[in-house]
Amino acid sequence: MNRPLMGDSSYPVYYALKAGLSHGTGNFDQIIAALKCNNMGIKIIETNNNLQNLISCGFVTEYIGKNPHNGKENDTLYRITE
């Protein structure tokens, strides 16, 4: 599977989705919480930029759906692209 390299600035956001959140899926706030839990002090704007970079590179998919963590419908979610 293709994924960003460890030294890439987007890697912590990818890792938060891959290892920090079950289902490899979460909304923006859940990604921020996973980063904080892993002591990856990344600013919100950097996280957003890194997330957009991961989407444009095809590593992450953005979609609208039911959040598997809290059951919220029509949530903007991000998922690792398999």
Side-chain angles (χ1 to χ4, degrees):
M1 182 176 88
N2 203 10
R3 64 178 176 84
L5 299 175
M6 231 172 168
D8 187 289
S9 64
S10 300
Y11 186 79
V13 175
Y14 178 86
Y15 180 81
L17 268 171
K18 183 79 174 168
L21 294 170
S22 60
H23 312 288
T25 301
N27 66 22
F28 190 77
D29 291 336
Q30 291 164 332
I31 294 169
I32 295 292
L35 288 167
K36 286 181 181 177
C37 285
N38 289 306
N39 293 320
M40 296 180 190
I42 300 175
K43 295 177 182 173
I44 290 175
I45 189 70
E46 289 177 53
T47 301
N48 187 47
N49 291 341
N50 290 336
L51 192 55
Q52 295 309 313
N53 181 50
L54 291 167
I55 291 167
S56 69
C57 291
F59 298 127
V60 172
T61 304
E62 179 181 31
Y63 69 102
I64 304 292
K66 183 177 180 179
N67 191 316
H69 302 283
N70 60 20
K72 181 180 174 188
E73 296 283 350
N74 299 318
D75 201 359
T76 300
L77 299 168
Y78 303 92
R79 165 177 54 214
I80 297 294
T81 303
E82 299 288 330

